[in-house]
Each structure stands twice: as structure tokens, then as C-alpha cells.
Amino acid sequence: MRIAFFDAKPYDKVWFDTYAAEYGYTIKYIESKLGPETTPLAKGSDAVCVFVNDTVNRAVIDDLAALGVRAILLRCAGFNNVDFEAAFRKIHVMRVPAYSPYAVAEYASALLLSVNRKTHRAYSRTRDYNFNINGLSGFDLHGKTAGIVGTGKIGRIMIDILTGYGMEVIAYDPFPAPNTGIAYVSLDELWARSDVISLHCPLSSETKHIVNATSLDRMKDEVILINTSRGGLVDTAALIDAVKARKVGGVGLDVYEEEDAYFFEDRSNDILEDEALVRLMSFPNVLVTSHQAFFTREAMQAIARTTLENLKRLENDEYLLNEICYQCEDKGSCDREKRRVNCF
Ligand code: NAD
């Protein structure tokens, strides 16, 4: 099988090359993102491999199908960039639903520790031989309350980590995990009681801007907010207002609403035009990183292994475990997992 691998970065090649050799697959690495102009580069390939910011719309899918491409391999869990209706019955779409929830939860905790104890600022100071600690004070996490929004794979590991710090942890999830001993509360109570809030729910029409002017207003003064999930969970303009009003004590963001144009790229020679992103990064108590919470050796290994295994299943005409289509998105009406059949 031949794979056209779009938006390729040097770190992608490490594990994909290792495992592709085992599977006997050939990978053509392409630095550009997949989009209408770059689709012809997939000529001669059985599959394309794409990431979170590639364009997989109807025009691209139709062109890929005309080139004989049989699979779109998402090397990520999220799939909001794919037009599933366009792909249905033309090209199988497969993803990596889970790779390392530890990677993301551990990173969320790292962001919390940095924002609270200002290690990111201390690093810049001591690099410049400035050993002054004015303004770098934080607070003990021990004995404080953390609110976790979304208690899936990552949220539950975050709960364990924060419990280890001696925090009281409360959580909100419309589908509470049974028999876990998690202290579930309403979302309003979570906003009101938490000293630290960490978001671990998916982005959907229900969760878009779950952190907004109203919810920020309900939060404790000087709350620390951590978002490693999806940028769209937070209304950026409202967050900026809350930071300016000194309502929020600290923010750690690994994701940002309009990240597509910037994250994963070196834009250090450009004039940034995204005023909100620049404003966010201007605050001393806001730490922004470039969607790297997943980025561990173990996660990269698992992503490469699962992506190639997904293609192997198609090659062998087997049940496509990680296939997804527009019918699967609406879990209530799709029973393909139970019947172990493919989307088409
Ligand atoms: P998961 O599916 O295991 O858990 C998500 C949880 O959110 C579920 O328990 C679900 O019931 C809950 N949920 C759904 N709607 C909700 C709502 N309205 N309010 C509160 N909770 C709600 O997912 P996961 O593996 O734990 O991943 C969580 C999120 O982390 C993903 O959706 C993804 O956006 C993000 N993520 C980020 C990175 C990164 O590198 N920054 C990497 C992987 C995943």
C-alpha cells in the first residue's frame, strides 16, 4: 500500500518510518497540508494520511476518489475537518480514537503548575541572570478545590493527578462515570466552587463557548483556567475581558479557537494578524502553547501503530474498528460497532 502523508513534520517520520517498514508500506511525505491545490500529490496512493488542520471537504474528497484513493487516515482523534457526507460510500475514513490520555492529563497538570507558580516567567528571568522573585508567588494547590469538566479518559486521569496534590476534586459530566467515586456537581456549582478549572470535554454544539461571559462571572475571583481540549470551548473575547478585569488569576491554553492559521507552524518572521491571540499572549498570567499536550513518545508510537493498523484492516477486508462516518457521529442511531460491520 502507498500512503500520501500530508502536513508531514520531522517528528511524524520517526515512528511512521519504523512501523511502515514492518507493514511493507511506502510513505510519500508531503510538507503541505491537504487541500484543493495539493490533492493531485496523492496520485498513485491508496491512502492519504492527514492531521487536525488539513482540509478534507467535498471537493478534496471527490478529487481523491477520482485518483483511486481508498482511505483517509486521520492521525488524530478529532474529525471536525472532514465532510463525512461527501466521503460516504466513496472513501473510508479512519481515526485514532485514543493514544495516550496520560500525555494530555499530565500536560494539563504541567500547565497548571506553571501558571500557578510562574515557572515560565522564572525561566526567562534566570536566563537573563535576573534572580529577582517579585511577582512570582503562587498558592498551595493542597486543600484547594479543582473542577473538572468532562470525566472521560483524560478527565479521570487529571482527577487522579490533582487528588495526588491533595486537592478536593469536583466534576461535571452529563454522562457521569458509574462506580468511580467522583464527586459530581452541577456546572453552576462547579464554576462557583472551583479554585482551578480544567476542561476535558469534546467540542460540540452544546459545549461551544461553555466558558463565556456568564460562566466566567460565576467563577471565583482569581480562578485558574486550563484548556487542553479544544479552543472553541472558550469564548476568547470574554476570557480576555475577564483577564483584563483581574477576575481570572491565571490561564493555561494548549488550544485556541482560531489556532488553525498558527499552531504547528513557525510564524516567528511574520506580523501576527490575530489580535486576540496576540492580546492573550501579552498577559503575564496567560500561558499559551501550540496544541502539544498529546506530544509524547508513547502517544506518537501509538498514533503511528494504530494509523497503519487501520489501513491493514482495509487491505485485508476486515472489520474497520476505527472507521467513522456521519451516521456514527450520531451514536444513538448507529449500531455498527455492535454488529461489527463497516460504515459501507
Ligand atoms: P472522552 O470521550 O474519553 O471523554 C470526554 C468526556 O466529556 C465524556 O465523559 C463525555 O461524557 C464528556 N462530555 C460530553 N459532553 C459534555 C458536556 N456538555 N459537558 C461536560 N462533559 C461532557 O475524551 P478524552 O479522550 O478524555 O478527550 C477529551 C478531549 O481532549 C477531546 O475531546 C479532545 O478535544 C481533547 N484532546 C486534546 C489533545 C491535545 O493535544 N491538546 C489530545 C487529545 C485529546
Side-chain angles (χ1 to χ4, degrees), residues 99 104 149-155 172-175 200-203 206-207 210 228-230 254-255 291-294:
Y99 30 93
V104 182
V149 181
T151 57
K153 294 178 284 297
I154 297 170
Y172 169 75
D173 194 308
F175 308 99
H200 298 287
C201 58
L203 177 61
E206 276 163 43
T207 59
I210 197 167
T228 55
S229 276
R230 283 293 179 268
D254 187 48
V255 286
H291 206 137
Q292 66 169 85
F294 72 98

Side-chain angles (χ1 to χ4, degrees), residues 268-282:
S268 55
N269 289 316
D270 299 349
I271 308 286
L272 295 201
E273 286 178 8
D274 187 323
E275 303 288 343
L277 181 59
V278 174
R279 187 69 182 105
L280 270 178
M281 291 191 305
S282 75

Side-chain angles (χ1 to χ4, degrees), residues 46-324:
D46 303 285
V48 294
C49 183
V50 299
F51 197 44
V52 289
N53 293 328
D54 289 278
T55 303
V56 196
N57 60 18
R58 182 172 290 276
V60 168
I61 288 167
D62 286 347
D63 287 349
L64 289 175
L67 290 174
V69 170
R70 294 173 60 203
I72 295 168
L73 305 170
L74 297 166
R75 53 182 190 278
C76 52
F79 43 76
N80 46 302
N81 51 339
V82 179
D83 183 338
F84 284 106
E85 298 227 34
F88 196 61
R89 297 214 167 95
K90 282 187 209 140
I91 301 187
H92 293 279
V93 183
M94 289 168 274
R95 66 179 183 133
V96 183
Y99 30 93
S100 172
Y102 298 99
V104 182
E106 287 169 12
Y107 191 83
S109 139
L111 275 183
L112 166 60
L113 294 182
S114 292
V115 168
N116 180 27
R117 304 301 301 275
K118 286 96 177 161
T119 45
H120 55 303
R121 298 184 60 208
Y123 174 76
S124 329
R125 281 195 199 179
T126 53
R127 293 270 295 182
D128 203 25
Y129 310 119
N130 173 358
F131 299 102
N132 188 322
I133 63 169
N134 279 338
L136 301 187
S137 160
F139 59 83
D140 284 13
L141 292 175
H142 185 271
K144 302 294 188 307
T145 301
I148 302 298
V149 181
T151 57
K153 294 178 284 297
I154 297 170
R156 271 181 276 168
I157 295 167
M158 186 66 170
I159 290 175
D160 289 344
I161 293 172
L162 299 183
T163 304
Y165 293 153
M167 299 192 81
E168 182 193 350
V169 184
I170 55 177
Y172 169 75
D173 194 308
F175 308 99
N179 309 319
T180 50
I182 294 172
Y184 285 104
V185 297
S186 69
L187 200 49
D188 270 346
E189 186 175 343
L190 185 143
W191 300 142
R193 281 180 52 196
S194 304
D195 301 289
V196 168
I197 293 171
S198 193
L199 305 178
H200 298 287
C201 58
L203 177 61
S204 66
S205 50
E206 276 163 43
T207 59
K208 187 170 162 62
H209 289 182
I210 197 167
V211 172
N212 53 41
T214 312
S215 50
L216 282 159
D217 200 45
R218 291 193 178 129
M219 291 177 198
K220 274 188 170 178
D221 289 346
E222 301 195 1
V223 62
I224 290 185
L225 178 71
I226 304 297
N227 186 10
T228 55
S229 276
R230 283 293 179 268
L233 297 176
V234 177
D235 178 343
T236 309
L239 179 65
I240 290 173
D241 286 345
V243 177
K244 280 163 76 179
R246 279 75 172 167
K247 169 76 185 174
V248 172
V251 184
L253 300 178
D254 187 48
V255 286
Y256 166 62
E257 269 190 286
E258 305 298 332
E259 69 180 48
D260 296 14
Y262 296 95
F263 283 19
F264 304 111
E265 305 300 332
D266 179 359
R267 303 291 301 268
S268 55
N269 289 316
D270 299 349
I271 308 286
L272 295 201
E273 286 178 8
D274 187 323
E275 303 288 343
L277 181 59
V278 174
R279 187 69 182 105
L280 270 178
M281 291 191 305
S282 75
F283 296 120
N285 55 347
V286 177
L287 175 54
V288 178
T289 60
S290 184
H291 206 137
Q292 66 169 85
F294 72 98
F295 198 28
T296 64
R297 184 177 57 227
E298 289 76 6
M300 295 303 284
Q301 263 176 296
I303 287 169
R305 178 65 89 188
T306 305
T307 303
L308 296 175
E309 190 56 39
N310 285 343
L311 185 57
K312 191 75 184 170
R313 283 175 173 268
L314 180 68
E315 186 186 8
N316 293 345
D317 274 332
E318 290 171 25
Y319 167 60
L320 302 176
L321 195 63
N322 297 319
E323 183 175 29
I324 185 152

